[in-house]
Amino acid sequence: MHVVCFDIDGTLVSSAGFDEKLYEQAILNVLGVDLNPDWSQYKNVSDSGILEEILENVSDAEERARLGRRVQMAFVNSTKQYVEENSHPIREIPGATALVERLRKSRNVGICIATGGWVETAKLKLRAIGLEPAELPMATASDAVQRTEIMRLAESRATKGPVEKRTYFGDGVWDKKAAAELGYDFVAIGGGVEHDVAFQDLQDLEAILGQLRV
């Protein structure tokens, strides 16, 4: 079995124009904290991971959990509102849906989603480009803080048999790092990461399938 795992933001969907700003605004509004603009400086680049690091100085566990829930609710609600009020704010990375659907038909491929976003916004984004989350094994920042653990969970939900090969599609340096830690082949999407296997988008289906050897 070849497990092929996808990040969402910047890999399957384009939503960075508002998504990061709403996340930063939720943290600022609830906690009064400005995020470091270079997210790679955080230990775990996921919605829950960055938030956990910011809340490290809150000693009371119950208060920390309460603030975390407030930030998450503020971000999820503002994202839903933004999508409702704006026309097509979430766009498909060209070729994303066609590639996912093609891989789902491959007998020896187990496809899954591993994203650093929370589950509510992850589902919203997938549905916006025509993919049904219930049909895709998925793990998110609602399941774990570390991206490597999110990827492990996604893989476990995608296949029950032995895994011979693993590939992760992502757009961030943290994606590349996590793939290396887990022994995944890595495919960089979007031009933001230097890597020997890279595509600007997902339109060249034959070239990508050739790279995956499926």
Side-chain angles (χ1 to χ4, degrees), residues 79-126:
T79 299
K80 290 180 178 177
Q81 181 178 350
Y82 187 93
V83 170
E84 290 173 358
E85 294 177 353
N86 293 271
S87 178
H88 306 296
I90 299 171
R91 302 184 306 278
E92 174 188 11
I93 296 295
T97 301
L99 176 60
V100 169
E101 294 300 341
R102 171 64 177 79
L103 290 173
R104 288 181 64 198
K105 297 175 183 177
S106 300
R107 294 174 56 188
N108 296 320
V109 172
I111 189 171
C112 58
I113 305 294
T115 176
W118 281 309
V119 65
E120 297 91 343
T121 52
K123 289 181 176 180
L124 183 154
K125 292 168 186 175
L126 290 175

Side-chain angles (χ1 to χ4, degrees), residues 50-177:
I50 293 173
L51 181 57
E52 180 180 88
E53 188 169 341
I54 291 171
L55 291 172
E56 281 180 349
N57 293 326
V58 179
S59 57
D60 184 83
E62 289 188 7
E63 177 66 4
R64 190 162 58 244
R66 185 185 69 81
L67 289 171
R69 287 192 295 271
R70 282 186 59 195
V71 171
Q72 182 174 355
M73 184 177 297
F75 173 60
V76 170
N77 289 341
S78 63
T79 299
K80 290 180 178 177
Q81 181 178 350
Y82 187 93
V83 170
E84 290 173 358
E85 294 177 353
N86 293 271
S87 178
H88 306 296
I90 299 171
R91 302 184 306 278
E92 174 188 11
I93 296 295
T97 301
L99 176 60
V100 169
E101 294 300 341
R102 171 64 177 79
L103 290 173
R104 288 181 64 198
K105 297 175 183 177
S106 300
R107 294 174 56 188
N108 296 320
V109 172
I111 189 171
C112 58
I113 305 294
T115 176
W118 281 309
V119 65
E120 297 91 343
T121 52
K123 289 181 176 180
L124 183 154
K125 292 168 186 175
L126 290 175
R127 289 194 177 107
I129 65 169
L131 294 174
E132 175 48 52
E135 298 175 355
L136 294 168
M138 178 167 61
T140 73
S142 300
D143 297 301
V145 169
Q146 293 183 332
R147 190 167 293 264
T148 49
E149 184 59 26
I150 293 170
M151 290 167 66
R152 287 192 185 99
L153 285 169
E155 178 182 319
S156 71
R157 294 168 181 174
T159 180
K160 297 178 180 178
V163 177
E164 298 176 354
K165 187 176 182 181
R166 298 167 172 86
T167 301
Y168 188 50
F169 285 74
D171 69 302
V173 293
W174 43 84
D175 297 318
K176 181 178 179 178
K177 180 180 178 182

